[in-house]
Amino acid sequence: MSERHVSVATPILGEEEYDNVEAVLDSGRFLQGPMVEEFEAKWAELVGVEHAVAVSNGTTALQLALNAMGLEPGDEVIVPSLTFGSTATAVVHQAGVPVFADIDRELYTLDHTDLERCVSEHTEAVIPVHLYGHPAEMDEIRAFADEHDLAVIEDAAQAHGASYKGEPVGSIGDVGCFSFYATKNITTGEGGIVTTDDEEIADRIRLLRSHGMEGRDEHVALGYNYRMSDLNAAIGTAQVDRLLGFNDRRREISERLFEELGDLEWISPGTVREYVEHAYFWAPFEVDPDVIGMSGKDVWRELKDQGVETRHRYVDPLYEQPVFEEHRGFNSKFPWSENPREHSYDLHLPNVEAVAGNTLGLPNHPGLEEADIEYVIETVRSFGSF
Ligand SMILES: Cc1ncc(COP(=O)(O)O)c(C=O)c1O
């Protein structure tokens, strides 16, 4: 066990966050209010869209986006096989059926060349995920979606401030969904937001997030309580001002790790396309288990014992998760039961199976000190000799 401990994520707060929270506490008004409005206005400006609607988390952002796009029971939504589970559980919660596509072997994002296999007469939407902060291949995905009349919902939960060919993520699809969970590039504690230029969709999401109520007591839609509180937004509105500075530092650290560790044979840095601004939620590296003679999980554990925390997630393709494999939707296997297609998830998609379990995210957050970064580099370079 090492004396030193380098964390992989930490919230970084300044005076503004404390002042804003204090102002809300003093006001006695903890509901969705002026801080949420301020946060929404700043986020819409940052992403370059007409509307940003704050919600309780990234998962509810996805659910409301799907609902507002008009998803009906049994409709299919194409999702990548390598992502956090709620990209796909959000589909099931809205009575839709997820259809799993392979990932791009280099970028880890949705493989647009697999969309043709996935699409059917029941497909209504596709959810590209900007995994680890690298934008998905949006031109190809958008073109395919237009050809097949599909809605595009960007899952930008890991890509705050990223852009693709000059366009901010969250402004490219019909809607974008972000998460402000505590480990993200910026945080509100728990929180999410939906971005769109479509006023009708934005209004529908505003209605649905607050019990489907018009006025004080008329329930005109099957809504939810998915609101964000002013306490969370008080942190968020201060964090938005820090995002681009944080991202610059994440990029600097990640590029240094890529450069200083790029010659090792057992671990390779992730690919970054020249036409994107990466948000570097992760500084991703791929472990080659044949070269190092151990699994990605063993490497993760050994680095942890040496005091270097890394991210090691999505270790199985989503189609192997019991909730999907066994159609554990609502009690009657709804929504799969609504759709005449068989939807066996007995899939073997080559790229996701080559990658799942073998990617690690090295520490790259702006709270790291020079000595932490040097320690990470030294520990990874000497890996195998401790
Ligand atoms: C890709 C992706 N989608 C959706 C979510 C869900 O966001 P939340 O945890 O805020 O519900 C996450 C969360 O971490 C995520 O990484």
Side-chain angles (χ1 to χ4, degrees):
M1 281 294 203
S2 156
E3 294 279 294
R4 188 176 270 278
H5 177 83
V6 183
S7 68
V8 78
T10 188
I12 301 169
L13 306 172
E15 254 176 52
E16 289 84 351
E17 283 83 346
Y18 286 90
D19 290 347
N20 286 352
V21 170
E22 201 176 350
V24 176
L25 290 174
D26 288 345
S27 77
R29 192 193 154 98
F30 303 162
L31 312 168
Q32 177 187 303
M35 282 290 181
V36 169
E37 267 178 39
E38 184 178 319
F39 179 52
E40 290 178 332
K42 281 189 182 176
W43 197 255
E45 193 184 342
L46 183 107
V47 173
V49 289
E50 292 291 317
H51 308 276
V53 186
V55 292
S56 49
N57 55 62
T59 306
T60 54
L62 286 164
Q63 286 188 33
L64 294 192
L66 286 159
N67 189 315
M69 305 297 306
L71 202 73
E72 293 285 350
D75 283 348
E76 294 172 10
V77 179
I78 303 173
V79 297
S81 305
L82 190 80
T83 170
F84 181 58
S86 77
T87 308
T89 57
V91 174
V92 180
H93 275 291
Q94 292 305 310
V97 170
V99 174
F100 294 102
D102 205 354
I103 55 161
D104 182 289
R105 183 63 187 86
E106 289 184 359
L107 301 179
Y108 312 130
T109 55
L110 182 71
D111 177 5
H112 63 88
T113 67
D114 198 31
L115 289 171
E116 199 66 57
R117 179 187 64 80
C118 299
V119 77
S120 85
E121 61 184 298
H122 303 282
T123 314
E124 288 297 327
V126 55
I127 308 185
V129 179
H130 306 308
L131 199 73
Y132 310 146
H134 190 296
E137 296 281 71
M138 292 308 294
D139 275 354
E140 290 82 356
I141 294 167
R142 189 80 253 191
F144 185 89
D146 288 348
E147 191 186 325
H148 294 269
D149 200 19
L150 311 179
V152 178
I153 296 169
E154 292 176 73
D155 182 338
Q158 303 188 356
H160 315 74
S163 62
Y164 172 86
K165 299 186 181 174
E167 285 185 81
V169 304
S171 73
I172 308 167
D174 297 285
V175 294
C177 298
F178 293 84
S179 158
F180 299 102
Y181 182 64
T183 61
K184 295 285 158 60
N185 289 27
I186 59 167
T187 184
T188 58
E190 294 275 7
I193 210 162
V194 186
T195 50
T196 185
D197 281 325
D198 187 320
E199 190 171 354
E200 229 175 277
I201 290 174
D203 282 344
R204 176 92 186 149
I205 291 172
R206 289 187 191 105
L207 179 75
L208 291 169
R209 79 174 161 183
S210 195
H211 301 290
M213 276 192 318
E214 260 171 17
R216 193 66 198 95
D217 246 333
E218 195 183 2
H219 296 270
V220 296
L222 182 62
Y224 307 83
N225 178 356
Y226 286 168
R227 292 180 303 247
M228 178 183 277
S229 131
D230 256 19
L231 281 167
N232 299 90
I235 302 170
T237 191
Q239 289 267 287
V240 179
D241 298 337
R242 302 183 192 283
L243 174 65
L244 298 181
F246 282 172
N247 280 6
D248 283 346
R249 184 65 183 142
R250 294 181 94 91
R251 179 176 315 107
E252 216 169 79
I253 299 171
S254 306
E255 285 177 352
R256 180 160 163 208
L257 294 172
F258 284 6
E259 203 177 300
E260 299 218 23
L261 301 171
D263 63 319
L264 296 175
E265 277 185 18
W266 63 274
I267 195 165
S268 350
T271 303
V272 183
R273 293 278 183 255
E274 75 282 1
Y275 46 79
V276 307
E277 280 280 330
H278 197 315
Y280 289 106
F281 174 52
W282 282 34
F285 281 82
E286 193 174 321
V287 171
D288 187 333
D290 294 334
V291 176
I292 192 79
M294 59 173 81
S295 67
K297 180 150 197 183
D298 290 338
V299 175
W300 166 80
R301 191 178 298 113
E302 283 212 19
L303 285 174
K304 191 162 160 242
D305 286 349
Q306 294 305 312
V308 176
E309 253 185 38
T310 57
R311 289 191 155 106
H312 181 248
R313 304 294 308 277
Y314 328 131
V315 296
D316 295 308
L318 274 192
Y319 52 76
E320 288 180 7
Q321 294 279 349
V323 61
F324 304 117
E325 205 172 31
E326 297 165 27
H327 294 184
R328 294 184 190 170
F330 297 83
N331 293 337
S332 59
K333 295 197 188 296
F334 177 85
W336 284 273
S337 54
E338 278 299 297
N339 185 311
R341 295 222 295 159
E342 185 197 353
H343 293 108
S344 160
Y345 293 125
D346 185 18
L347 289 169
H348 287 290
L349 302 178
N351 295 341
V352 67
E353 294 195 7
V355 163
N358 293 331
T359 52
L360 293 179
L362 264 51
N364 65 344
H365 61 81
L368 296 178
E369 301 194 346
E370 177 59 26
D372 296 321
I373 302 166
E374 280 171 17
Y375 184 72
V376 171
I377 292 169
E378 198 182 295
T379 309
V380 174
R381 288 205 71 83
S382 59
F383 192 83
S385 59
F386 4 100

